[in-house]
Amino acid sequence: MKTRTRVLTGTALAVALGAGAFGAVSASASPAATAQAAAVSAKKDGPSGKDFTTTTHLTVDAATRAAQAALKAAAAENQKVTVAVVDRNGNTIVTLRGDGAGPQSYESAQRKAYTAVSWNAPTSVLAGRLAQTPNLKDIPGTLFLGGGTPVQANGAPVAGIGVAGAPSGDLDEKFAKAGVDALGK
């Protein structure tokens, strides 16, 4: 029994010492790894400016101002619409559902805005292209009906405004254009 007890005690001691040594090595390795990472990030020859791009985005205030201008233009003609403003990536910045606008207008406005910014063209123009390329309508999130218009900065699309709920796409697009026009003021 004594021999067996000594072997077990010795094994337990060896394991404990090994674990302690491992912990000490791990603990001392962490600061060294941190210092090395800091040295790498401090290098002056990191990623150059050519590895990045700068984009222009509407502020929430500008998007809200544009949406309110579109709603106001629609109200002036007794139209009940929803207005959506999306960023360059198609993410919704703001959606305003006017009093009395139909339930379908919410999603339709967002999809028109997304379509306009995606192709940098009014959705009425894009709707005309369906005759040549009918599969365009199958792209998720798009809606090829009049009522969406892109917002441009230096000729590049930076946002889209979509309006839905008026009796025609021409009216919806007229109101969306009023939203774009409000951004220049």
Side-chain angles (χ1 to χ4, degrees):
M1 278 274 193
K2 287 186 175 185
T3 305
R4 183 172 179 199
T5 303
R6 283 187 209 160
V7 170
L8 289 175
T9 303
T11 302
L13 182 59
V15 168
L17 288 174
F22 177 75
V25 170
S26 295
S28 66
S30 182
T34 303
Q36 183 181 10
V40 168
S41 68
K43 283 179 130 179
K44 296 201 188 293
D45 62 346
S48 67
K50 68 179 181 172
D51 294 329
F52 299 95
T53 185
T54 303
T55 60
T56 303
H57 295 274
L58 286 183
T59 63
V60 171
D61 289 340
T64 302
R65 190 171 66 247
Q68 288 172 333
L71 273 180
K72 185 176 178 181
E77 296 191 29
N78 294 318
Q79 298 301 315
K80 297 167 177 29
V81 300
T82 297
V83 181
V85 181
V86 301
D87 67 12
R88 175 62 185 112
N89 300 318
N91 299 309
T92 302
I93 301 171
V94 65
T95 301
L96 298 178
R97 184 176 175 272
D99 294 336
Q104 78 290 352
S105 65
Y106 191 87
E107 182 180 350
S108 296
Q110 289 178 324
R111 291 174 59 192
K112 288 178 183 184
Y114 175 82
T115 304
V117 74
S118 295
W119 276 273
N120 193 23
T123 53
S124 61
V125 171
L126 297 169
R129 295 181 188 169
L130 286 179
Q132 301 153 348
T133 316
N135 290 350
L136 281 178
K137 69 180 179 347
D138 297 333
I139 297 173
T142 59
L143 186 58
F144 292 89
L145 297 174
T149 189
V151 177
Q152 298 178 345
N154 299 320
V158 296
I161 299 177
V163 176
S168 75
D170 291 341
L171 282 174
D172 285 340
E173 201 158 300
K174 176 181 175 182
F175 306 143
K177 178 82 169 91
V180 173
D181 293 344
L183 293 172
K185 297 177 182 176

